[in-house]
Amino acid sequence: MTTADHASPFYVTLKRALELRGTCVEDICPPDDQVARRVLHDYGAMFIGADDILPPPLCVFSSEEEVARFQKAAGHTAATIGDAVIELQPAAMSALLKARAAALAEGLDITPRDGAEAARRSHADTVRLWNSRFLPALDHWLMVERLSQTQAERLHSLPVNEQVPEVLELEKEGIFFSKDLSKSVLYSIAAPGTSQHIAMLAFDANEFADQRVREILARHGWFQTVLSDLPHFTFLGLAEAELPRRGLRRVEVDGQTFWIPDVT
Ligand SMILES: [Zn+2]
């Protein structure tokens, strides 16, 4: 990790937040692990949230056992919205249900996108989602001959954790693995074992395009923190005015407000 990173507002806040939990940046994200560092910069907002949420002890979970242990420690509650049962950390669920009640009172609604997957996910869920982007993109780049048969077969045969850094390298050359093949796969889905959904601090809402819904969610501590992932909201449990002091930077994209780690 460079000196510039450590001096940035996000790292200053993160260091303090982790110290309070008896850990440090190097423990949760090994400095020489490019994927972990990318994850920290892209999804790191969850690490500097309110005291009543538990962020993951690692940037990248490597097994279902690790995920299960963390999810048990964090605790989660379930609620039924429409025909989907969703699960979140208790503080996140309580705020979401209050936001939904506020939305309903205004004739709006907040509903889960793609059913139960909108909230808590297991390690296996993140692997399945990875494959839903990785495999079709691999076929595409093979078909248009940007990848050779040998390259594609080699990538396919790698363990999933090793596919991620290789994909990020290819994306530097414009060989993108998102659903529409136009941007990094990490803007489309999280790398296996890294999702804010694993942390049970994320909710994908069908109504993300409605500004009034976004404002209601923000008033209840739910913010868009992952650039380009429009339906995805993160529970920080903080007032919006507090976010700059937590090392997050406000970015407007197409009229939507994102709060992302200020690492530059
Ligand atoms: Zn999401």
Side-chain angles (χ1 to χ4, degrees), residues 202-223:
F203 179 74
D204 298 337
N206 282 319
E207 298 79 7
F208 69 91
D210 191 319
Q211 191 188 343
R212 291 167 302 169
V213 168
R214 297 198 301 270
E215 284 170 2
I216 290 169
L217 282 164
R219 281 205 299 279
H220 291 83
W222 283 91
F223 303 94

mmCIF file with all atom_site columns, all heavy atoms in Angstrom, residues 202-223:
data_model
loop_
_atom_site.group_PDB
_atom_site.id
_atom_site.type_symbol
_atom_site.label_atom_id
_atom_site.label_alt_id
_atom_site.label_comp_id
_atom_site.label_asym_id
_atom_site.label_entity_id
_atom_site.label_seq_id
_atom_site.pdbx_PDB_ins_code
_atom_site.Cartn_x
_atom_site.Cartn_y
_atom_site.Cartn_z
_atom_site.occupancy
_atom_site.B_iso_or_equiv
_atom_site.pdbx_formal_charge
_atom_site.auth_seq_id
_atom_site.auth_comp_id
_atom_site.auth_asym_id
_atom_site.auth_atom_id
_atom_site.pdbx_PDB_model_num
ATOM 1   N N   . ALA A 1 202 ? -26.200 -4.990 2.759   1.00 0.00 ? 202 ALA A N   1
ATOM 2   C CA  . ALA A 1 202 ? -26.578 -4.484 1.436   1.00 0.00 ? 202 ALA A CA  1
ATOM 3   C C   . ALA A 1 202 ? -27.971 -4.955 1.066   1.00 0.00 ? 202 ALA A C   1
ATOM 4   O O   . ALA A 1 202 ? -28.403 -6.041 1.465   1.00 0.00 ? 202 ALA A O   1
ATOM 5   C CB  . ALA A 1 202 ? -25.581 -4.959 0.386   1.00 0.00 ? 202 ALA A CB  1
ATOM 6   N N   . PHE A 1 203 ? -28.658 -4.096 0.300   1.00 0.00 ? 203 PHE A N   1
ATOM 7   C CA  . PHE A 1 203 ? -30.001 -4.415 -0.163  1.00 0.00 ? 203 PHE A CA  1
ATOM 8   C C   . PHE A 1 203 ? -30.155 -3.871 -1.582  1.00 0.00 ? 203 PHE A C   1
ATOM 9   O O   . PHE A 1 203 ? -29.861 -2.699 -1.836  1.00 0.00 ? 203 PHE A O   1
ATOM 10  C CB  . PHE A 1 203 ? -31.046 -3.779 0.761   1.00 0.00 ? 203 PHE A CB  1
ATOM 11  C CG  . PHE A 1 203 ? -32.469 -4.046 0.347   1.00 0.00 ? 203 PHE A CG  1
ATOM 12  C CD1 . PHE A 1 203 ? -33.037 -5.300 0.537   1.00 0.00 ? 203 PHE A CD1 1
ATOM 13  C CD2 . PHE A 1 203 ? -33.237 -3.046 -0.239  1.00 0.00 ? 203 PHE A CD2 1
ATOM 14  C CE1 . PHE A 1 203 ? -34.352 -5.544 0.152   1.00 0.00 ? 203 PHE A CE1 1
ATOM 15  C CE2 . PHE A 1 203 ? -34.551 -3.291 -0.627  1.00 0.00 ? 203 PHE A CE2 1
ATOM 16  C CZ  . PHE A 1 203 ? -35.109 -4.547 -0.434  1.00 0.00 ? 203 PHE A CZ  1
ATOM 17  N N   . ASP A 1 204 ? -30.588 -4.721 -2.506  1.00 0.00 ? 204 ASP A N   1
ATOM 18  C CA  . ASP A 1 204 ? -30.838 -4.288 -3.884  1.00 0.00 ? 204 ASP A CA  1
ATOM 19  C C   . ASP A 1 204 ? -32.325 -3.984 -4.028  1.00 0.00 ? 204 ASP A C   1
ATOM 20  O O   . ASP A 1 204 ? -33.176 -4.860 -3.852  1.00 0.00 ? 204 ASP A O   1
ATOM 21  C CB  . ASP A 1 204 ? -30.446 -5.386 -4.882  1.00 0.00 ? 204 ASP A CB  1
ATOM 22  C CG  . ASP A 1 204 ? -28.963 -5.725 -4.823  1.00 0.00 ? 204 ASP A CG  1
ATOM 23  O OD1 . ASP A 1 204 ? -28.180 -4.872 -4.371  1.00 0.00 ? 204 ASP A OD1 1
ATOM 24  O OD2 . ASP A 1 204 ? -28.601 -6.844 -5.229  1.00 0.00 ? 204 ASP A OD2 1
ATOM 25  N N   . ALA A 1 205 ? -32.623 -2.711 -4.345  1.00 0.00 ? 205 ALA A N   1
ATOM 26  C CA  . ALA A 1 205 ? -34.020 -2.262 -4.404  1.00 0.00 ? 205 ALA A CA  1
ATOM 27  C C   . ALA A 1 205 ? -34.489 -2.100 -5.844  1.00 0.00 ? 205 ALA A C   1
ATOM 28  O O   . ALA A 1 205 ? -33.771 -1.551 -6.686  1.00 0.00 ? 205 ALA A O   1
ATOM 29  C CB  . ALA A 1 205 ? -34.145 -0.922 -3.679  1.00 0.00 ? 205 ALA A CB  1
ATOM 30  N N   . ASN A 1 206 ? -35.701 -2.584 -6.118  1.00 0.00 ? 206 ASN A N   1
ATOM 31  C CA  . ASN A 1 206 ? -36.286 -2.397 -7.448  1.00 0.00 ? 206 ASN A CA  1
ATOM 32  C C   . ASN A 1 206 ? -36.485 -0.919 -7.772  1.00 0.00 ? 206 ASN A C   1
ATOM 33  O O   . ASN A 1 206 ? -36.416 -0.517 -8.924  1.00 0.00 ? 206 ASN A O   1
ATOM 34  C CB  . ASN A 1 206 ? -37.651 -3.088 -7.512  1.00 0.00 ? 206 ASN A CB  1
ATOM 35  C CG  . ASN A 1 206 ? -37.511 -4.589 -7.691  1.00 0.00 ? 206 ASN A CG  1
ATOM 36  O OD1 . ASN A 1 206 ? -36.668 -5.053 -8.449  1.00 0.00 ? 206 ASN A OD1 1
ATOM 37  N ND2 . ASN A 1 206 ? -38.340 -5.353 -6.986  1.00 0.00 ? 206 ASN A ND2 1
ATOM 38  N N   . GLU A 1 207 ? -36.753 -0.111 -6.740  1.00 0.00 ? 207 GLU A N   1
ATOM 39  C CA  . GLU A 1 207 ? -37.177 1.283  -6.947  1.00 0.00 ? 207 GLU A CA  1
ATOM 40  C C   . GLU A 1 207 ? -36.019 2.271  -6.937  1.00 0.00 ? 207 GLU A C   1
ATOM 41  O O   . GLU A 1 207 ? -36.205 3.460  -6.678  1.00 0.00 ? 207 GLU A O   1
ATOM 42  C CB  . GLU A 1 207 ? -38.202 1.666  -5.874  1.00 0.00 ? 207 GLU A CB  1
ATOM 43  C CG  . GLU A 1 207 ? -39.482 0.845  -5.906  1.00 0.00 ? 207 GLU A CG  1
ATOM 44  C CD  . GLU A 1 207 ? -39.347 -0.549 -5.268  1.00 0.00 ? 207 GLU A CD  1
ATOM 45  O OE1 . GLU A 1 207 ? -38.277 -0.833 -4.665  1.00 0.00 ? 207 GLU A OE1 1
ATOM 46  O OE2 . GLU A 1 207 ? -40.292 -1.344 -5.364  1.00 0.00 ? 207 GLU A OE2 1
ATOM 47  N N   . PHE A 1 208 ? -34.790 1.779  -7.235  1.00 0.00 ? 208 PHE A N   1
ATOM 48  C CA  . PHE A 1 208 ? -33.603 2.632  -7.124  1.00 0.00 ? 208 PHE A CA  1
ATOM 49  C C   . PHE A 1 208 ? -33.663 3.881  -8.006  1.00 0.00 ? 208 PHE A C   1
ATOM 50  O O   . PHE A 1 208 ? -33.025 4.888  -7.717  1.00 0.00 ? 208 PHE A O   1
ATOM 51  C CB  . PHE A 1 208 ? -32.346 1.818  -7.475  1.00 0.00 ? 208 PHE A CB  1
ATOM 52  C CG  . PHE A 1 208 ? -32.257 1.438  -8.923  1.00 0.00 ? 208 PHE A CG  1
ATOM 53  C CD1 . PHE A 1 208 ? -31.607 2.260  -9.823  1.00 0.00 ? 208 PHE A CD1 1
ATOM 54  C CD2 . PHE A 1 208 ? -32.842 0.261  -9.392  1.00 0.00 ? 208 PHE A CD2 1
ATOM 55  C CE1 . PHE A 1 208 ? -31.533 1.915  -11.165 1.00 0.00 ? 208 PHE A CE1 1
ATOM 56  C CE2 . PHE A 1 208 ? -32.782 -0.084 -10.729 1.00 0.00 ? 208 PHE A CE2 1
ATOM 57  C CZ  . PHE A 1 208 ? -32.129 0.753  -11.629 1.00 0.00 ? 208 PHE A CZ  1
ATOM 58  N N   . ALA A 1 209 ? -34.425 3.840  -9.089  1.00 0.00 ? 209 ALA A N   1
ATOM 59  C CA  . ALA A 1 209 ? -34.446 4.970  -10.032 1.00 0.00 ? 209 ALA A CA  1
ATOM 60  C C   . ALA A 1 209 ? -35.296 6.137  -9.526  1.00 0.00 ? 209 ALA A C   1
ATOM 61  O O   . ALA A 1 209 ? -35.237 7.239  -10.071 1.00 0.00 ? 209 ALA A O   1
ATOM 62  C CB  . ALA A 1 209 ? -34.943 4.515  -11.399 1.00 0.00 ? 209 ALA A CB  1
ATOM 63  N N   . ASP A 1 210 ? -36.087 5.904  -8.493  1.00 0.00 ? 210 ASP A N   1
ATOM 64  C CA  . ASP A 1 210 ? -36.975 6.947  -7.966  1.00 0.00 ? 210 ASP A CA  1
ATOM 65  C C   . ASP A 1 210 ? -36.224 7.790  -6.924  1.00 0.00 ? 210 ASP A C   1
ATOM 66  O O   . ASP A 1 210 ? -35.862 7.286  -5.850  1.00 0.00 ? 210 ASP A O   1
ATOM 67  C CB  . ASP A 1 210 ? -38.211 6.285  -7.332  1.00 0.00 ? 210 ASP A CB  1
ATOM 68  C CG  . ASP A 1 210 ? -39.284 7.315  -7.001  1.00 0.00 ? 210 ASP A CG  1
ATOM 69  O OD1 . ASP A 1 210 ? -38.935 8.417  -6.513  1.00 0.00 ? 210 ASP A OD1 1
ATOM 70  O OD2 . ASP A 1 210 ? -40.473 7.010  -7.217  1.00 0.00 ? 210 ASP A OD2 1
ATOM 71  N N   . GLN A 1 211 ? -36.043 9.050  -7.259  1.00 0.00 ? 211 GLN A N   1
ATOM 72  C CA  . GLN A 1 211 ? -35.269 9.924  -6.362  1.00 0.00 ? 211 GLN A CA  1
ATOM 73  C C   . GLN A 1 211 ? -35.872 10.004 -4.960  1.00 0.00 ? 211 GLN A C   1
ATOM 74  O O   . GLN A 1 211 ? -35.148 10.048 -3.960  1.00 0.00 ? 211 GLN A O   1
ATOM 75  C CB  . GLN A 1 211 ? -35.172 11.331 -6.968  1.00 0.00 ? 211 GLN A CB  1
ATOM 76  C CG  . GLN A 1 211 ? -34.162 12.198 -6.224  1.00 0.00 ? 211 GLN A CG  1
ATOM 77  C CD  . GLN A 1 211 ? -34.193 13.646 -6.668  1.00 0.00 ? 211 GLN A CD  1
ATOM 78  O OE1 . GLN A 1 211 ? -34.721 13.968 -7.725  1.00 0.00 ? 211 GLN A OE1 1
ATOM 79  N NE2 . GLN A 1 211 ? -33.630 14.522 -5.857  1.00 0.00 ? 211 GLN A NE2 1
ATOM 80  N N   . ARG A 1 212 ? -37.211 9.984  -4.881  1.00 0.00 ? 212 ARG A N   1
ATOM 81  C CA  . ARG A 1 212 ? -37.853 10.087 -3.561  1.00 0.00 ? 212 ARG A CA  1
ATOM 82  C C   . ARG A 1 212 ? -37.515 8.856  -2.716  1.00 0.00 ? 212 ARG A C   1
ATOM 83  O O   . ARG A 1 212 ? -37.281 8.955  -1.515  1.00 0.00 ? 212 ARG A O   1
ATOM 84  C CB  . ARG A 1 212 ? -39.366 10.238 -3.727  1.00 0.00 ? 212 ARG A CB  1
ATOM 85  C CG  . ARG A 1 212 ? -39.776 11.586 -4.338  1.00 0.00 ? 212 ARG A CG  1
ATOM 86  C CD  . ARG A 1 212 ? -41.223 11.558 -4.775  1.00 0.00 ? 212 ARG A CD  1
ATOM 87  N NE  . ARG A 1 212 ? -41.461 10.492 -5.746  1.00 0.00 ? 212 ARG A NE  1
ATOM 88  C CZ  . ARG A 1 212 ? -42.650 10.085 -6.164  1.00 0.00 ? 212 ARG A CZ  1
ATOM 89  N NH1 . ARG A 1 212 ? -43.744 10.645 -5.673  1.00 0.00 ? 212 ARG A NH1 1
ATOM 90  N NH2 . ARG A 1 212 ? -42.776 9.121  -7.050  1.00 0.00 ? 212 ARG A NH2 1
ATOM 91  N N   . VAL A 1 213 ? -37.473 7.700  -3.370  1.00 0.00 ? 213 VAL A N   1
ATOM 92  C CA  . VAL A 1 213 ? -37.116 6.467  -2.653  1.00 0.00 ? 213 VAL A CA  1
ATOM 93  C C   . VAL A 1 213 ? -35.665 6.538  -2.170  1.00 0.00 ? 213 VAL A C   1
ATOM 94  O O   . VAL A 1 213 ? -35.348 6.190  -1.024  1.00 0.00 ? 213 VAL A O   1
ATOM 95  C CB  . VAL A 1 213 ? -37.332 5.225  -3.560  1.00 0.00 ? 213 VAL A CB  1
ATOM 96  C CG1 . VAL A 1 213 ? -36.699 3.984  -2.941  1.00 0.00 ? 213 VAL A CG1 1
ATOM 97  C CG2 . VAL A 1 213 ? -38.819 5.005  -3.807  1.00 0.00 ? 213 VAL A CG2 1
ATOM 98  N N   . ARG A 1 214 ? -34.791 7.035  -3.025  1.00 0.00 ? 214 ARG A N   1
ATOM 99  C CA  . ARG A 1 214 ? -33.373 7.141  -2.628  1.00 0.00 ? 214 ARG A CA  1
ATOM 100 C C   . ARG A 1 214 ? -33.224 8.088  -1.441  1.00 0.00 ? 214 ARG A C   1
ATOM 101 O O   . ARG A 1 214 ? -32.440 7.833  -0.521  1.00 0.00 ? 214 ARG A O   1
ATOM 102 C CB  . ARG A 1 214 ? -32.513 7.630  -3.800  1.00 0.00 ? 214 ARG A CB  1
ATOM 103 C CG  . ARG A 1 214 ? -32.496 6.672  -4.985  1.00 0.00 ? 214 ARG A CG  1
ATOM 104 C CD  . ARG A 1 214 ? -31.317 6.969  -5.914  1.00 0.00 ? 214 ARG A CD  1
ATOM 105 N NE  . ARG A 1 214 ? -31.328 8.326  -6.444  1.00 0.00 ? 214 ARG A NE  1
ATOM 106 C CZ  . ARG A 1 214 ? -31.925 8.693  -7.585  1.00 0.00 ? 214 ARG A CZ  1
ATOM 107 N NH1 . ARG A 1 214 ? -32.569 7.797  -8.307  1.00 0.00 ? 214 ARG A NH1 1
ATOM 108 N NH2 . ARG A 1 214 ? -31.881 9.945  -7.992  1.00 0.00 ? 214 ARG A NH2 1
ATOM 109 N N   . GLU A 1 215 ? -34.008 9.176  -1.446  1.00 0.00 ? 215 GLU A N   1
ATOM 110 C CA  . GLU A 1 215 ? -33.928 10.128 -0.327  1.00 0.00 ? 215 GLU A CA  1
ATOM 111 C C   . GLU A 1 215 ? -34.434 9.494  0.973   1.00 0.00 ? 215 GLU A C   1
ATOM 112 O O   . GLU A 1 215 ? -33.864 9.703  2.043   1.00 0.00 ? 215 GLU A O   1
ATOM 113 C CB  . GLU A 1 215 ? -34.722 11.395 -0.657  1.00 0.00 ? 215 GLU A CB  1
ATOM 114 C CG  . GLU A 1 215 ? -33.969 12.291 -1.635  1.00 0.00 ? 215 GLU A CG  1
ATOM 115 C CD  . GLU A 1 215 ? -34.819 13.439 -2.193  1.00 0.00 ? 215 GLU A CD  1
ATOM 116 O OE1 . GLU A 1 215 ? -36.006 13.572 -1.794  1.00 0.00 ? 215 GLU A OE1 1
ATOM 117 O OE2 . GLU A 1 215 ? -34.285 14.171 -3.043  1.00 0.00 ? 215 GLU A OE2 1
ATOM 118 N N   . ILE A 1 216 ? -35.510 8.731  0.866   1.00 0.00 ? 216 ILE A N   1
ATOM 119 C CA  . ILE A 1 216 ? -36.043 8.057  2.066   1.00 0.00 ? 216 ILE A CA  1
ATOM 120 C C   . ILE A 1 216 ? -35.010 7.070  2.607   1.00 0.00 ? 216 ILE A C   1
ATOM 121 O O   . ILE A 1 216 ? -34.737 7.021  3.812   1.00 0.00 ? 216 ILE A O   1
ATOM 122 C CB  . ILE A 1 216 ? -37.375 7.333  1.741   1.00 0.00 ? 216 ILE A CB  1
ATOM 123 C CG1 . ILE A 1 216 ? -38.477 8.371  1.477   1.00 0.00 ? 216 ILE A CG1 1
ATOM 124 C CG2 . ILE A 1 216 ? -37.772 6.386  2.881   1.00 0.00 ? 216 ILE A CG2 1
ATOM 125 C CD1 . ILE A 1 216 ? -39.753 7.781  0.883   1.00 0.00 ? 216 ILE A CD1 1
ATOM 126 N N   . LEU A 1 217 ? -34.400 6.287  1.717   1.00 0.00 ? 217 LEU A N   1
ATOM 127 C CA  . LEU A 1 217 ? -33.380 5.322  2.154   1.00 0.00 ? 217 LEU A CA  1
ATOM 128 C C   . LEU A 1 217 ? -32.211 6.057  2.823   1.00 0.00 ? 217 LEU A C   1
ATOM 129 O O   . LEU A 1 217 ? -31.740 5.647  3.889   1.00 0.00 ? 217 LEU A O   1
ATOM 130 C CB  . LEU A 1 217 ? -32.898 4.474  0.969   1.00 0.00 ? 217 LEU A CB  1
ATOM 131 C CG  . LEU A 1 217 ? -33.865 3.349  0.571   1.00 0.00 ? 217 LEU A CG  1
ATOM 132 C CD1 . LEU A 1 217 ? -33.536 2.800  -0.823  1.00 0.00 ? 217 LEU A CD1 1
ATOM 133 C CD2 . LEU A 1 217 ? -33.836 2.206  1.598   1.00 0.00 ? 217 LEU A CD2 1
ATOM 134 N N   . ALA A 1 218 ? -31.775 7.164  2.217   1.00 0.00 ? 218 ALA A N   1
ATOM 135 C CA  . ALA A 1 218 ? -30.653 7.934  2.787   1.00 0.00 ? 218 ALA A CA  1
ATOM 136 C C   . ALA A 1 218 ? -30.995 8.456  4.183   1.00 0.00 ? 218 ALA A C   1
ATOM 137 O O   . ALA A 1 218 ? -30.158 8.424  5.091   1.00 0.00 ? 218 ALA A O   1
ATOM 138 C CB  . ALA A 1 218 ? -30.271 9.078  1.855   1.00 0.00 ? 218 ALA A CB  1
ATOM 139 N N   . ARG A 1 219 ? -32.239 8.905  4.363   1.00 0.00 ? 219 ARG A N   1
ATOM 140 C CA  . ARG A 1 219 ? -32.639 9.404  5.690   1.00 0.00 ? 219 ARG A CA  1
ATOM 141 C C   . ARG A 1 219 ? -32.607 8.300  6.745   1.00 0.00 ? 219 ARG A C   1
ATOM 142 O O   . ARG A 1 219 ? -32.552 8.567  7.932   1.00 0.00 ? 219 ARG A O   1
ATOM 143 C CB  . ARG A 1 219 ? -34.066 9.976  5.636   1.00 0.00 ? 219 ARG A CB  1
ATOM 144 C CG  . ARG A 1 219 ? -34.154 11.377 5.048   1.00 0.00 ? 219 ARG A CG  1
ATOM 145 C CD  . ARG A 1 219 ? -35.397 12.107 5.568   1.00 0.00 ? 219 ARG A CD  1
ATOM 146 N NE  . ARG A 1 219 ? -36.655 11.461 5.239   1.00 0.00 ? 219 ARG A NE  1
ATOM 147 C CZ  . ARG A 1 219 ? -37.266 11.575 4.061   1.00 0.00 ? 219 ARG A CZ  1
ATOM 148 N NH1 . ARG A 1 219 ? -36.731 12.295 3.096   1.00 0.00 ? 219 ARG A NH1 1
ATOM 149 N NH2 . ARG A 1 219 ? -38.416 10.966 3.839   1.00 0.00 ? 219 ARG A NH2 1
ATOM 150 N N   . HIS A 1 220 ? -32.639 7.035  6.276   1.00 0.00 ? 220 HIS A N   1
ATOM 151 C CA  . HIS A 1 220 ? -32.620 5.910  7.209   1.00 0.00 ? 220 HIS A CA  1
ATOM 152 C C   . HIS A 1 220 ? -31.262 5.198  7.222   1.00 0.00 ? 220 HIS A C   1
ATOM 153 O O   . HIS A 1 220 ? -31.163 4.040  7.653   1.00 0.00 ? 220 HIS A O   1
ATOM 154 C CB  . HIS A 1 220 ? -33.756 4.934  6.873   1.00 0.00 ? 220 HIS A CB  1
ATOM 155 C CG  . HIS A 1 220 ? -35.113 5.507  7.175   1.00 0.00 ? 220 HIS A CG  1
ATOM 156 N ND1 . HIS A 1 220 ? -35.778 6.342  6.306   1.00 0.00 ? 220 HIS A ND1 1
ATOM 157 C CD2 . HIS A 1 220 ? -35.902 5.404  8.278   1.00 0.00 ? 220 HIS A CD2 1
ATOM 158 C CE1 . HIS A 1 220 ? -36.935 6.712  6.849   1.00 0.00 ? 220 HIS A CE1 1
ATOM 159 N NE2 . HIS A 1 220 ? -37.030 6.161  8.046   1.00 0.00 ? 220 HIS A NE2 1
ATOM 160 N N   . GLY A 1 221 ? -30.228 5.884  6.719   1.00 0.00 ? 221 GLY A N   1
ATOM 161 C CA  . GLY A 1 221 ? -28.871 5.342  6.818   1.00 0.00 ? 221 GLY A CA  1
ATOM 162 C C   . GLY A 1 221 ? -28.442 4.426  5.685   1.00 0.00 ? 221 GLY A C   1
ATOM 163 O O   . GLY A 1 221 ? -27.379 3.804  5.767   1.00 0.00 ? 221 GLY A O   1
ATOM 164 N N   . TRP A 1 222 ? -29.280 4.340  4.624   1.00 0.00 ? 222 TRP A N   1
ATOM 165 C CA  . TRP A 1 222 ? -28.970 3.483  3.474   1.00 0.00 ? 222 TRP A CA  1
ATOM 166 C C   . TRP A 1 222 ? -28.505 4.352  2.300   1.00 0.00 ? 222 TRP A C   1
ATOM 167 O O   . TRP A 1 222 ? -29.237 5.242  1.858   1.00 0.00 ? 222 TRP A O   1
ATOM 168 C CB  . TRP A 1 222 ? -30.215 2.705  3.047   1.00 0.00 ? 222 TRP A CB  1
ATOM 169 C CG  . TRP A 1 222 ? -30.550 1.545  3.919   1.00 0.00 ? 222 TRP A CG  1
ATOM 170 C CD1 . TRP A 1 222 ? -31.363 1.537  5.015   1.00 0.00 ? 222 TRP A CD1 1
ATOM 171 C CD2 . TRP A 1 222 ? -30.103 0.188  3.750   1.00 0.00 ? 222 TRP A CD2 1
ATOM 172 N NE1 . TRP A 1 222 ? -31.443 0.267  5.533   1.00 0.00 ? 222 TRP A NE1 1
ATOM 173 C CE2 . TRP A 1 222 ? -30.672 -0.571 4.779   1.00 0.00 ? 222 TRP A CE2 1
ATOM 174 C CE3 . TRP A 1 222 ? -29.253 -0.441 2.821   1.00 0.00 ? 222 TRP A CE3 1
ATOM 175 C CZ2 . TRP A 1 222 ? -30.451 -1.948 4.907   1.00 0.00 ? 222 TRP A CZ2 1
ATOM 176 C CZ3 . TRP A 1 222 ? -29.026 -1.804 2.950   1.00 0.00 ? 222 TRP A CZ3 1
ATOM 177 C CH2 . TRP A 1 222 ? -29.619 -2.547 3.985   1.00 0.00 ? 222 TRP A CH2 1
ATOM 178 N N   . PHE A 1 223 ? -27.303 4.065  1.778   1.00 0.00 ? 223 PHE A N   1
ATOM 179 C CA  . PHE A 1 223 ? -26.719 4.896  0.715   1.00 0.00 ? 223 PHE A CA  1
ATOM 180 C C   . PHE A 1 223 ? -26.186 4.038  -0.424  1.00 0.00 ? 223 PHE A C   1
ATOM 181 O O   . PHE A 1 223 ? -25.831 2.872  -0.224  1.00 0.00 ? 223 PHE A O   1
ATOM 182 C CB  . PHE A 1 223 ? -25.562 5.727  1.282   1.00 0.00 ? 223 PHE A CB  1
ATOM 183 C CG  . PHE A 1 223 ? -25.959 6.596  2.436   1.00 0.00 ? 223 PHE A CG  1
ATOM 184 C CD1 . PHE A 1 223 ? -25.813 6.149  3.751   1.00 0.00 ? 223 PHE A CD1 1
ATOM 185 C CD2 . PHE A 1 223 ? -26.517 7.855  2.218   1.00 0.00 ? 223 PHE A CD2 1
ATOM 186 C CE1 . PHE A 1 223 ? -26.197 6.939  4.827   1.00 0.00 ? 223 PHE A CE1 1
ATOM 187 C CE2 . PHE A 1 223 ? -26.902 8.653  3.292   1.00 0.00 ? 223 PHE A CE2 1
ATOM 188 C CZ  . PHE A 1 223 ? -26.745 8.199  4.594   1.00 0.00 ? 223 PHE A CZ  1
#
